[in-house]
Amino acid sequence: MVLTVSSGCSWCHLTWLYRNCAKTIKNSHFMMRRCFATKKPETVMNVFDRNAKKLQKERTTILKDYKVYDYVKEEIGYRTFDRICDIKREFDVLVDLGCGRGYVSKHLQKEMVKTVYQCEITELLLKQCEKPEDVITHHMVVDEEFIPFKENSIDMFVSSLSLHWVNDLPGCFRQVQKSLKNDGAFIGCMFGGDTLFELRVSLQLAETELEGGFAPHISPFTDVRDLGSLLNNSDFTLLTIDVDEMTVIYPGIKELMHDLKGMGENNCAWSRKPMLHRNTIELANEKYKEMFGKEGGIPATFQIINFIGWKPDPSQAKPAKRGSGQVSFADLHKINEPTKDKDISNDEDKHSK
């Protein structure tokens, strides 16, 4: 059974669904809800056409060789899974938010998690999603901007290379934080600001030269500082953020753009230009090779920002009180100096007592 929850549902429709499905979902890990603001709502950026992104993802499902285009997501998904392995704990419920074809959750093992919810914006992509072996797995059609899990019900959220298409990223993070249990983890990764900078520069130079100006053809990405601020403002603690890069060599710009479309990563910003002239593409290809070309083709950089945050809990380690330290940083260079005989004798006397 696939439960579809979208932000476009009317209040009457949601009420009817809740009344008729109350018995079914009473003991489940999710619920339907609609939030009513008690204060002036914050300004939400509306950069991406979410319906266009849904259609782009659905178009990838009709490709006979769709697995050929998943090399970036497969690699990064496995790296994210490897980070989960570093947490030596068994989780009851894990949510793979924006799971794609199961790039992360298909690697999970029964010793790590009991139940997995694989969530995507389109049901067609979920049909091609690989499930982990020996783990109870459910598929849910979920928009990342409207997370339907009830509060304090999830042990871990995982998201790999999907949140960069979310308009209300602060709202998404807050919903994740509320849905997590105390001491629950949020592990994920997003494309960073330097992703495809070679393609961006080449297209801008070519379009400016031929058309007297340029339009944005590469979607905007977040950076490390903004991501850290968003997680902090959403009350996540013990944050860890690091940056990785993956470089792929392509024969030319057309092959690069073709693969991006096959990945479902083509532009969906509202300000996107409806078409790109052939002459502009050819000139951009020349400039790409001239500025960044290497032996064998042109490089495309994918910058990955990895993060992990935890929901606060009294059991978590806390920093020592300010001024409680007994060793100064100025004395760290003396750490390898031999201990004086007098100090050693004093320590031995203390232990003997």
Side-chain angles (χ1 to χ4, degrees):
M1 175 182 178
V2 176
L3 175 68
T4 304
V5 181
S6 89
S7 56
C9 294
S10 67
W11 171 240
C12 293
H13 184 56
L14 281 175
T15 302
W16 180 87
L17 280 172
Y18 181 81
R19 289 175 178 174
N20 285 273
C21 301
K23 294 181 179 179
T24 304
I25 69 176
K26 182 178 180 180
N27 297 319
S28 64
H29 296 286
F30 56 87
M31 70 174 185
M32 286 169 285
R33 65 185 180 190
R34 183 181 177 115
C35 299
F36 293 92
T38 57
K39 59 182 180 179
K40 185 178 180 180
E42 63 181 9
T43 302
V44 177
M45 301 296 291
N46 189 14
V47 180
F48 305 113
D49 184 348
R50 297 284 295 168
N51 288 328
K53 178 50 58 182
K54 178 181 178 181
L55 291 174
Q56 290 170 359
K57 288 186 175 184
E58 289 179 343
R59 291 191 187 106
T60 67
T61 63
I62 63 176
L63 301 174
K64 294 181 179 180
D65 56 345
Y66 62 85
K67 290 187 177 181
V68 174
Y69 305 99
D70 284 343
Y71 48 90
V72 173
K73 295 183 177 181
E74 288 282 8
E75 173 63 23
I76 304 304
Y78 184 80
R79 294 184 189 181
T80 303
F81 161 74
D82 189 55
R83 291 169 181 265
I84 299 175
C85 294
D86 292 335
I87 303 176
K88 304 304 180 182
R89 184 195 302 180
E90 181 181 357
F91 296 93
D92 290 331
V93 184
L94 181 146
V95 174
D96 189 353
L97 193 61
C99 63
R101 295 187 174 91
Y103 308 115
V104 179
S105 51
K106 70 179 180 181
H107 300 292
L108 295 172
Q109 303 167 4
K110 62 180 181 180
E111 294 81 10
M112 302 170 65
V113 62
K114 295 180 181 178
T115 304
V116 173
Y117 286 92
Q118 293 179 322
C119 302
E120 253 299 342
I121 197 173
T122 169
E123 185 177 353
L124 295 179
L125 197 55
L126 284 174
K127 290 180 179 179
Q128 297 177 346
C129 186
E130 299 182 46
K131 298 180 179 180
E133 297 182 2
D134 302 324
V135 178
I136 300 174
T137 306
H138 304 282
H139 285 170
M140 292 181 64
V141 179
V142 175
D143 189 331
E144 292 94 335
E145 297 184 358
F146 186 79
I147 298 176
F149 298 95
K150 61 185 178 182
E151 295 184 14
N152 304 312
S153 63
I154 308 299
D155 296 275
M156 175 183 284
F157 272 88
V158 177
S159 182
S160 179
L161 302 183
S162 70
L163 296 178
H164 56 283
W165 296 119
V166 174
N167 284 310
D168 186 12
L169 202 55
C172 174
F173 283 2
R174 284 196 298 270
Q175 292 179 69
V176 168
Q177 203 268 0
K178 289 181 179 179
S179 300
L180 283 171
K181 298 177 182 177
N182 288 349
D183 202 30
F186 182 25
I187 297 180
C189 59
M190 300 173 61
F191 284 123
D194 287 341
T195 298
L196 300 177
F197 73 90
E198 305 98 337
L199 178 61
R200 182 187 295 111
V201 171
S202 302
L203 287 173
Q204 289 179 354
L205 290 175
E207 203 166 25
T208 301
E209 182 174 330
L210 294 180
E211 303 178 31
F214 64 87
H217 296 285
I218 309 297
S219 298
F221 299 104
T222 188
D223 59 24
V224 176
R225 184 186 305 173
D226 292 337
L227 181 58
S229 298
L230 288 172
L231 290 169
N232 266 321
N233 293 337
S234 300
D235 295 329
F236 284 99
T237 61
L238 304 176
L239 299 181
T240 302
I241 301 177
D242 63 90
V243 181
D244 196 5
E245 284 190 356
M246 180 177 178
T247 302
V248 183
I249 305 297
Y250 295 89
I253 196 172
K254 292 182 180 179
E255 289 78 7
L256 169 57
M257 297 173 72
H258 178 74
D259 276 20
L260 290 175
K261 185 176 181 180
M263 298 176 195
E265 293 297 326
N266 36 336
N267 192 3
C268 72
W270 287 107
S271 59
R272 66 189 183 278
K273 196 173 181 179
M275 64 174 296
L276 194 59
H277 297 289
R278 182 179 301 176
N279 293 339
T280 303
I281 296 177
E282 293 175 354
L283 181 59
N285 188 49
E286 295 176 5
K287 292 185 177 297
Y288 203 132
K289 292 181 178 179
E290 179 183 349
M291 292 184 294
F292 309 105
K294 294 184 178 181
E295 184 178 355
I298 57 174
T301 300
F302 297 90
Q303 185 186 56
I304 314 299
I305 305 177
N306 304 288
F307 64 88
I308 176 171
W310 297 81
K311 186 169 182 176
D313 185 75
S315 64
Q316 294 172 351
K318 295 178 176 58
K321 293 182 179 180
R322 187 176 182 87
S324 62
Q326 299 179 1
V327 179
S328 172
F329 279 109
D331 297 329
L332 287 179
H333 67 285
K334 302 178 182 179
I335 193 170
N336 292 324
E337 292 184 4
T339 306
K340 295 181 179 179
D341 294 338
K342 181 178 65 175
D343 296 333
I344 293 176
S345 61
N346 291 338
D347 289 341
E348 290 177 351
D349 293 340
K350 292 178 182 178
H351 288 297
S352 63
K353 292 178 181 179

